[in-house]
């Protein structure tokens, strides 16, 4: 990621006149006629949450909304659109009872929807709403025609700027986007980086059309705020906008259906950057949300309001947003300034093998009918559930030689026979279709020497750190749902104690995205954020204390030793949840 601020600049008016190809048009047409909600990223927002977001953005009936402009980039069934229309008409009537609706309201709203059938039904709902407000059928239809357009928001032309952009952008993984369309998005949007989901360019384009002082109010997954792929978008916000409000919505029923991802509400304004007001997990009743919205928008934050915190400098270039308490942020920053990273002190973080076809590559170790040197014992999350390794006898077929190259199947007739028996499923994988000559490779290259190395094994999704020592004696190779840490410098038992401590949880919780139920992602990108002294700088007594604590799996002892390792003060110990006693 080497995107400069200049590369992230964009046309304030969002005008996109570059035509797209016939293949892109065909991909858009296919999505517009799709019947599945997953391919469209459709998740529907509860009405009380919609009203909350409209309030936070400042789209309220006491404002001259007919003199403002609002954009809804993916209006779906009208969750945001219909309440916004209601507010618009109410504000207009209060300000100008004798005015012409057609003259006064035509330019007040723009909304886009890709899915044709949804567009038509919501268009009809807007017309019906306007007629119920006393507008004639002709005027209601004309306004709906002017306000609503059917097409791809990321490619459709937009004219002018907007005072408000609100909504719930679609949540679509890259694998579900047709390749020509994905290439077009990447060509047009600087923030479409790495594995970015589709809501990333939605936010970029929405920000690009905000007027000076305009507000964007979105509810969507918070992954971009901390993940690698969100770096360019975070940099954009830090450089040119003000993150005014952040409300985390973990374990709240913000949507009509359950979602696994951790949702958050953000209000971002085109104005000079400043402090961010933060609230967590509000009760979803209208009275509570209305009161909270008013408090979050007050010019000066009430000192006795324990439900809201204010943090400075949350956006910091492309760095992940640290939204925890100021004391926790101060501790993290001190440790980052004082100590090198995990990998800078000789540790390596990796992930186990993904095969793309586990039924073909994984099975009972003894029963796998391949040459003995073409299979490895496999360790999975189930093998380490107890906190110790209890191998259940699984194995993985290994098509790689020790030097990292694929073996020649002609030299391994049993391996060749096994893979040919599963050829259909193996060939169906993307990696096999991309390079047919290498059709039998696993997605990830297997490095056999890793199996015999001592390592720490860490499952991806957990409420607390679950770090298990594996000595290498059984030559176990990690499965893809396990991360591992190896080191030529640090003693792994001592390192296990550090990683079981509340300090490691603070690092991971600070940088990780959270899942429903408060679970954390113990992924490599977050584990690499952990800071650590060099092994040579650790005293013999502390080395033994760390190792003993890990062997006994005594978490309080791990905390005590880790607090000594980092030289935490009494106040800092309190920040991470205790004094270690």
């Amino acid at each position: 990621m080497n995107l400069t601020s200049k590369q992230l600049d964009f046309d304030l008016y969002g005008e996109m006149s570059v035509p797209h190809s016939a293949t892109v048009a065909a991909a858009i047409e296919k999505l517009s006629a799709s019947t599945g909600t997953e391919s469209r990223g459709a998740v529907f927002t509860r009405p009380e949450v919609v009203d909350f977001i409209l309030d936070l953005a400042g789209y309220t009936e006491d404002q001259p909304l007919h003199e403002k402009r609002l954009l809804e980039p993916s209006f779906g069934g009208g969750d945001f659109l219909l309440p916004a229309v209601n507010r618009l008409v109410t504000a207009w009537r209060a300000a100008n009872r004798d005015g012409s609706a057609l003259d006064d309201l035509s330019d007040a709203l723009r909304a886009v929807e890709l899915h044709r059938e949804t567009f038509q039904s919501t268009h009809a709902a807007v017309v019906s709403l306007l007629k119920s407000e006393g507008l004639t059928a002709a005027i209601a239809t004309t306004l709906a025609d002017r306000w609503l357009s059917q097409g791809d928001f990321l490619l459709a032309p937009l004219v002018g700027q907007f005072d408000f952009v609100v909504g719930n952008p679609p949540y679509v993984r890259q694998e579900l986007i047709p390749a020509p369309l994905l290439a077009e998005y990447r060509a047009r949007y600087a923030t479409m980086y790495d594995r970015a989901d589709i809501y990333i360019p939605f936010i970029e384009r929405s920000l690009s059309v905000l007027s000076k002082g305009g507000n964007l109010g979105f509810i969507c997954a918070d992954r971009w705020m901390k993940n690698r792929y969100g770096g360019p978008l975070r940099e954009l916000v830090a450089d040119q906008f003000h993150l005014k409000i952040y409300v985390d919505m973990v374990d709240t029923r913000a949507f009509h259906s359950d979602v696994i991802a951790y949702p958050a509400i953000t209000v971002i304004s085109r104005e000079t950057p400043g402090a961010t007001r933060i609230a967590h997990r509000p009760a979803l009743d209208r009275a509570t949300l209305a009161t909270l919205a008013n408090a979050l928008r007050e010019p000066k934050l009430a000192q006795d309001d324990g439900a809201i915190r204010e943090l400075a400098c949350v956006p910091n270039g492309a760095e992940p947003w640290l939204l925890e308490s100021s004391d926790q942020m101060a501790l993290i920053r001190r440790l980052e300034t004082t100590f090198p990273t995990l990998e800078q002190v000789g540790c390596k973080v990796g992930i186990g093998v993904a095969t793309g076809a586990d039924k073909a590559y994984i099975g009972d170790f003894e029963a796998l009918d391949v040459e003995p040197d073409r299979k490895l014992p496999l360790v999975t999350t189930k093998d380490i559930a107890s906190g110790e390794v209890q191998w259940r006898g699984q194995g993985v077929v290994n098509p790689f030689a020790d030097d990292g190259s694929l073996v020649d199947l002609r030299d391994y007739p049993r391996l060749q026979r096994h893979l040919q028996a599963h050829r259909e499923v193996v060939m169906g994988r993307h990696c096999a279709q991309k390079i047919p000559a290498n059709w039998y490779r696993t997605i990830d290259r297997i490095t056999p020497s890793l199996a015999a190395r001592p390592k720490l094994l860490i499952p991806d999704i957990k409420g607390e750190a679950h770090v298990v020592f594996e000595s290498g004696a059984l030559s176990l190779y990690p499965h893809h749902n396990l991360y591992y840490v190896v080191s030529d410098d640090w003693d792994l038992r001592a390192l296990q104690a550090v990683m079981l401590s509340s300090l490691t949880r603070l690092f991971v919780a600070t940088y990780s995205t959270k899942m429903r139920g408060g679970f954390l992602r113990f992924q490599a990108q977050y584990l690499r954020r952990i800071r650590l002294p060099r092994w040579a700088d650790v005293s013999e007594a502390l080395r033994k204390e760390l190792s003993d604590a890990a062997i006994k799996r005594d978490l309080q002892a791990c905390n005590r030793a880790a607090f000594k390792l980092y030289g935490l003060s009494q106040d800092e110990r309190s920040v991470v949840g205790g004094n270690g006693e």
Side-chain angles (χ1 to χ4, degrees):
M1 182 181 64
N2 293 307
L3 297 175
T4 65
S5 296
K6 182 176 181 181
Q7 287 175 296
L8 288 169
D9 285 340
F10 38 55
D11 174 10
L12 292 178
Y13 294 92
E15 189 68 48
M16 289 191 173
S17 58
V18 180
H20 42 262
S21 66
T23 54
V24 170
I28 295 172
E29 176 62 27
K30 180 179 179 181
L31 289 177
S32 72
S34 171
T35 57
T37 57
E38 182 182 10
S39 62
R40 294 184 280 119
V43 178
F44 305 106
T45 314
R46 296 173 67 92
E48 55 269 41
V49 176
V50 169
D51 285 334
F52 181 50
I53 294 171
L54 290 171
D55 289 346
L56 289 176
Y59 198 77
T60 54
E61 294 170 358
D62 60 342
Q63 300 295 312
L65 299 182
H66 61 290
E67 298 175 1
K68 308 287 186 179
R69 300 188 78 214
L70 178 140
L71 171 66
E72 218 287 41
S74 180
F75 64 74
D79 290 350
F80 283 84
L81 178 61
L82 295 173
V85 170
N86 207 315
R87 293 185 181 209
L88 171 61
V89 173
T90 300
W92 168 71
R93 287 199 188 282
N96 189 8
R97 292 181 179 275
D98 300 323
S100 162
L102 205 55
D103 292 340
D104 293 346
L105 302 180
S106 289
D107 200 40
L109 196 150
R110 291 290 182 270
V112 184
E113 171 56 37
L114 174 60
H115 189 240
R116 184 173 290 103
E117 185 177 322
T118 301
F119 169 84
Q120 292 167 348
S121 62
T122 306
H123 183 284
V126 170
V127 172
S128 178
L129 174 58
L130 292 174
K131 287 166 62 178
S132 73
E133 291 287 344
L135 277 62
T136 67
I139 291 177
T141 301
T142 301
L143 284 174
D145 288 344
R146 292 183 181 181
W147 289 345
L148 312 186
S149 61
Q150 189 266 318
D152 185 339
F153 171 72
L154 296 177
L155 304 180
L158 291 173
V159 178
Q161 297 172 288
F162 296 87
D163 304 288
F164 307 95
V165 185
V166 296
N168 175 10
Y171 186 79
V172 182
R173 300 191 310 276
Q174 286 192 18
E175 303 84 61
L176 298 176
I177 303 172
L181 193 56
L182 183 61
E184 189 75 15
Y185 293 159
R186 287 191 178 280
R188 297 192 183 211
Y189 293 98
T191 61
M192 194 68 181
Y193 170 70
D194 195 49
R195 302 291 301 166
D197 293 288
I198 199 65
Y199 64 84
I200 294 293
F202 261 75
I203 296 173
E204 178 186 338
R205 190 170 194 204
S206 297
L207 290 173
S208 79
V209 296
L210 272 184
S211 62
K212 186 176 181 180
N215 290 326
L216 174 146
F218 273 178
I219 182 168
C220 67
D222 78 337
R223 288 175 176 166
W224 71 276
M225 301 173 194
K226 295 187 177 185
N227 262 359
R228 183 172 182 265
Y229 68 61
L233 183 54
R234 292 193 299 270
E235 185 177 357
L236 173 62
V237 173
D239 286 350
Q240 302 182 37
F241 297 91
H242 175 198
L243 175 62
K244 294 174 72 172
I245 296 170
Y246 168 88
V247 183
D248 92 64
M249 303 295 285
V250 65
D251 290 333
T252 66
R253 296 298 301 272
F255 305 110
H256 287 293
S257 56
D258 288 335
V259 294
I260 297 175
Y262 182 36
I265 294 169
T266 51
V267 176
I268 303 173
S269 178
R270 185 185 288 280
E271 61 185 26
T272 303
T276 301
R277 291 185 177 176
I278 300 171
H280 294 274
R281 309 176 194 181
L284 297 190
D285 64 88
R286 291 186 184 277
T288 298
L289 292 176
T291 300
L292 179 58
N294 289 334
L296 285 165
R297 295 181 60 227
E298 282 291 332
K300 187 174 182 180
L301 185 63
Q303 292 185 349
D304 60 347
D305 195 332
I308 300 172
R309 292 184 293 110
E310 197 167 66
L311 291 179
C313 304
V314 172
N316 178 28
E319 286 294 297
W321 289 355
L322 304 190
L323 295 154
E324 287 64 35
S325 75
S326 55
D327 289 341
Q328 289 176 331
M329 284 182 61
L331 174 57
I332 289 290
R333 293 304 187 205
R334 182 183 78 77
L335 296 178
E336 289 178 336
T337 302
T338 307
F339 298 102
T341 65
L342 191 72
E343 293 196 327
Q344 286 172 337
V345 298
C347 304
K348 178 186 176 182
V349 181
I351 189 170
V353 60
T355 70
D358 281 0
K359 290 184 178 179
Y361 288 93
I362 295 173
D364 180 82
F365 180 78
E366 296 298 334
L368 286 171
D369 187 15
V370 297
E371 287 76 8
D373 63 339
R374 291 300 95 212
K375 59 184 178 179
L376 291 165
L378 186 75
V379 59
T380 71
T381 54
K382 292 181 179 179
D383 296 320
I384 64 170
S386 68
E388 300 290 341
V389 177
Q390 296 176 336
W391 184 49
R392 297 162 58 249
Q394 292 286 288
V396 60
V397 171
N398 175 25
F400 288 95
D402 291 346
D403 64 2
S405 63
L406 281 169
V407 299
D408 189 331
L409 291 181
R410 291 172 296 184
D411 296 333
Y412 293 93
R414 291 167 63 189
L415 173 64
Q416 183 176 40
R417 185 168 59 248
H418 174 86
L419 291 169
Q420 288 290 357
H422 295 89
R423 186 180 178 93
E424 183 177 353
V425 65
V426 172
M427 281 298 297
R429 301 169 306 153
H430 175 72
C431 64
Q433 294 175 2
K434 186 177 180 180
I435 308 178
N438 295 345
W439 66 273
Y440 54 95
R441 65 162 293 153
T442 49
I443 293 177
D444 297 321
R445 180 178 283 108
I446 292 176
T447 306
S449 59
L450 172 64
R453 291 192 68 176
K455 49 193 157 302
L456 300 180
L457 301 171
I458 307 163
D460 179 358
I461 302 176
K462 280 288 181 180
E464 302 289 341
H466 186 73
V467 184
V468 177
F469 175 75
E470 197 276 297
S471 67
L474 295 176
S475 294
L476 299 176
Y477 203 89
H479 194 213
H480 68 84
N481 51 12
L482 285 175
Y483 291 90
Y484 65 84
V485 181
V486 295
S487 180
D488 291 325
D489 298 318
W490 259 79
D491 175 82
L492 287 184
R493 278 297 193 182
L495 182 59
Q496 183 185 16
V498 177
M499 300 193 74
L500 285 170
S501 75
S502 54
L503 267 169
T504 286
R505 192 188 192 286
L506 176 61
F507 266 104
V508 174
T510 297
Y511 285 106
S512 166
T513 56
K514 299 179 183 67
M515 309 300 286
R516 179 167 291 278
F519 288 92
L520 301 175
R521 304 298 304 270
F522 286 81
Q523 294 178 323
Q525 61 180 311
Y526 309 129
L527 296 173
R528 292 185 181 113
R529 289 273 178 180
I530 295 169
R531 300 297 170 131
L532 202 64
R534 299 189 184 280
W535 183 243
D537 296 333
V538 182
S539 69
E540 288 294 335
L542 188 50
R543 290 180 179 186
K544 185 176 187 307
E545 185 177 349
L546 287 163
S547 180
D548 289 348
I551 292 170
K552 295 174 183 176
R553 283 190 287 167
D554 183 336
L555 298 185
Q556 285 300 312
C558 289
N559 277 340
R560 286 194 295 271
F563 293 171
K564 292 178 186 177
L565 180 72
Y566 291 99
L568 265 59
S569 68
Q570 196 64 41
D571 288 342
E572 288 175 331
R573 295 180 183 205
S574 298
V575 166
V576 292
N579 58 15
E581 298 298 326

